[in-house]
Amino acid sequence: MAQRVAVADGGNKKTTRVRVAVRLRPYMSKHDEKSEGPCVRGLDSQSLEIINWRNATESVKYQFDSFHGEETTQQEVFLTSVKPILSHVLNGQNASVFAYGPTGAGKTHTMLGSPEQPGVIPQAVREVFHLVKGKKEDEGWDYSIGMSYLEIYNEKVLDLLSPGSQDLPIREDKDKNILIPGLTHTTISSFSDFDKHFIPASLNRTTASTKLNQRSSRSHAILLIKVVRTRRTFPHRQQTGKLYLVDLAGSEDNRRTGNQGIRLKESGAINLSLFTLSKVVDSLNSGTAIRVPYRDSKLTRLLQDSLGGSAHSVMITNIAPEYKYYFDTFTALNFAAKSKLIVNKPFTRETVAVPMLPVKRARDELEGRGPDA
Ligand code: ADP
Ligand code: MG
């Protein structure tokens, strides 16, 4: 097989921000033992207000790229916040969608949904297949789509497509692509093919989480959809775009909620990956070129090219309106307000086949440097 080298991306250096959406789920009286009513309400398609706990006659207002009120449908969330970034994945760029927020606020509903109300994941995968189908033969690319599905639990990376697998290592290749050797990667040919692999894996996760109680609220579920396109003619340019769809662990402070009286040690109480995610956001926003601590947790390491890197990212912060969630809602909104400032620089990941030339010379030539440069 011919060797492949990465091609410098001369074009697209446009920067994009992380898009931040907030979704408020409907008020549910079963979550409000004291019948206090809601403490958060939407104002318009971009802003909301939450009662100020210091002075209940005042409120604190927030503005985001989009605000999805309690009546928003699954389809509206998808169309406004997710669909616009998907086409980039067919062009060798990375994209990621995160659901963030406290347990019970609607992350899984937003990402997974139900058969009647499919969430972001099924809608996004359908759309990727739809976009590939819409590509014209004469554009000269062959597309292949594959999936991986993993969970980060207690800083262990577990393969959900291969139950019982061990903790997997995260690596970076010479072109700064993050990868997990040993992770199952399955080629999928259609949406129903995707479902065939995804549904049993999701069910595995759910069953395990009911047994282990808080597991699903303590772990991050990460679906990766990889689109590789290859030029039919020599030098067979190849571009790889990755789409991460992430249902994050609950953002509530386990020290404060005190989980059924179990005393949790400080160090064990915090989900390290989620904690590091907020440090990464802080450090990117401070702009002071200090080291961004991606390597401090598995989640941020894995998503290194999706936050402040080269990806199109969307953060959907899920919040609940009942008072019981008040402080967790505040924390989540403040985190979301910080995330807005991150700037990503999307670029295309491309390689070409080089049959005979020594690598350095080939790379120089591809990048337009003469053989003597
Ligand atoms: P999380 O994953 O953040 O812990 P869930 O997605 O499990 O939260 O949501 C908690 C409950 O609220 C579930 O019963 C879910 O069906 C319901 N729910 C969440 N968001 C919505 C929504 N937008 N509309 C209707 N029900 C919702
Ligand atoms: Mg959940």
Side-chain angles (χ1 to χ4, degrees):
M1 221 178 93
Q3 197 169 7
R4 287 202 159 267
V5 294
V7 185
D9 171 42
N12 206 348
K13 281 288 186 293
K14 223 170 55 187
T15 56
T16 62
R17 279 194 306 108
V18 170
R19 294 188 59 81
V20 178
V22 169
R23 183 181 201 186
L24 173 64
R25 74 147 162 74
Y27 171 81
M28 295 171 165
S29 49
K30 67 170 185 202
H31 287 268
D32 187 5
E33 295 91 14
K34 300 186 195 148
S35 301
E36 294 163 300
C39 64
V40 192
R41 68 182 179 113
L43 297 171
D44 56 42
S45 65
Q46 290 191 302
S47 48
L48 64 105
E49 63 179 355
I50 177 167
I51 283 173
N52 183 353
W53 64 280
R54 291 172 196 277
N55 177 354
T57 62
E58 288 176 3
S59 69
V60 183
K61 295 184 174 56
Y62 289 84
Q63 190 176 26
F64 299 98
D65 293 306
S66 24
F67 168 70
H68 303 297
E70 48 198 302
E71 266 128 51
T72 317
T73 63
Q74 298 281 69
Q75 202 195 7
E76 282 161 351
V77 172
F78 172 73
L79 291 177
T80 326
S81 295
V82 179
K83 194 178 175 215
I85 65 170
L86 295 181
S87 62
H88 301 294
V89 180
L90 274 68
N91 302 330
Q93 298 183 20
N94 293 348
S96 63
V97 181
F98 304 84
Y100 180 87
T103 300
K107 296 181 297 298
T108 304
H109 178 77
T110 296
M111 295 307 287
L112 209 54
S114 58
E116 303 74 43
Q117 291 177 282
V120 164
I121 288 174
Q123 294 184 84
V125 174
R126 239 183 230 291
E127 177 65 15
V128 167
F129 277 106
H130 179 74
L131 288 170
V132 166
K133 218 171 251 154
K135 289 287 173 186
K136 300 269 175 332
E137 270 292 298
D138 59 12
E139 287 177 28
W141 295 96
D142 285 328
Y143 289 81
S144 129
I145 304 176
M147 70 180 281
S148 298
Y149 189 30
L150 63 131
E151 179 180 52
I152 299 180
Y153 178 65
N154 275 343
E155 291 302 288
K156 288 198 176 68
V157 176
L158 305 169
D159 189 343
L160 289 170
L161 292 181
S162 170
S165 78
Q166 300 298 302
D167 183 18
L168 297 167
I170 302 174
R171 304 250 190 271
E172 185 175 344
D173 71 10
K174 62 181 186 343
D175 300 317
K176 303 221 178 291
N177 297 307
I178 304 287
L179 45 104
I180 301 181
L183 180 70
T184 308
H185 187 73
T186 308
T187 304
I188 45 176
S189 56
S190 63
F191 179 77
S192 58
D193 200 16
F194 162 78
D195 247 9
K196 206 176 72 197
H197 295 98
F198 182 70
I199 289 179
S202 301
L203 288 178
N204 279 343
R205 179 171 188 256
T206 323
T207 325
S209 62
T210 350
K211 262 190 230 145
L212 292 173
N213 201 354
Q214 301 147 344
R215 179 168 173 143
S216 86
S217 60
R218 296 282 192 96
S219 75
H220 312 285
I222 304 171
L223 173 68
L224 166 64
I225 300 292
K226 201 150 114 181
V227 180
V228 179
R229 66 169 182 175
T230 311
R231 205 81 196 150
R232 279 185 216 117
T233 51
F234 188 80
H236 305 296
R237 287 167 61 200
Q238 192 170 79
Q239 299 180 336
T240 302
K242 293 191 288 186
L243 170 66
Y244 283 109
L245 300 164
V246 188
D247 186 347
L248 288 168
S251 63
E252 64 275 8
D253 185 342
N254 286 299
R255 285 168 304 179
R256 193 167 49 68
T257 46
N259 290 307
Q260 282 102 35
I262 301 165
R263 292 265 299 279
L264 295 160
K265 275 198 237 146
E266 270 218 351
S267 58
I270 299 167
N271 183 312
L272 178 68
S273 276
L274 207 55
F275 178 62
T276 309
L277 179 64
S278 83
K279 280 201 301 183
V280 164
V281 169
D282 270 348
S283 130
L284 287 165
N285 286 344
S286 73
T288 49
I290 43 165
R291 188 183 73 96
V292 180
Y294 290 112
R295 286 170 184 265
D296 290 3
S297 79
K298 296 291 171 68
L299 176 77
T300 48
R301 179 68 173 141
L302 182 64
L303 296 170
Q304 183 159 354
D305 51 13
S306 306
L307 265 176
S310 57
H312 303 265
S313 310
V314 179
M315 175 92 66
I316 303 176
T317 301
N318 290 94
I319 56 171
E322 302 85 20
Y323 273 87
K324 171 173 136 179
Y325 292 89
Y326 185 82
F327 285 102
D328 292 323
T329 302
F330 237 122
T331 312
L333 288 172
N334 289 331
F335 176 77
K338 285 192 299 198
S339 320
K340 267 205 313 192
L341 305 171
I342 303 175
V343 172
N344 278 351
K345 286 196 185 72
F347 62 86
T348 297
R349 291 165 194 281
E350 180 172 318
T351 59
V352 292
V354 280
M356 272 157 328
L357 300 173
V359 173
K360 177 164 185 315
R361 214 182 109 205
R363 190 178 287 151
D364 287 348
E365 286 185 8
L366 286 165
E367 291 176 10
R369 286 191 291 268
D372 303 317

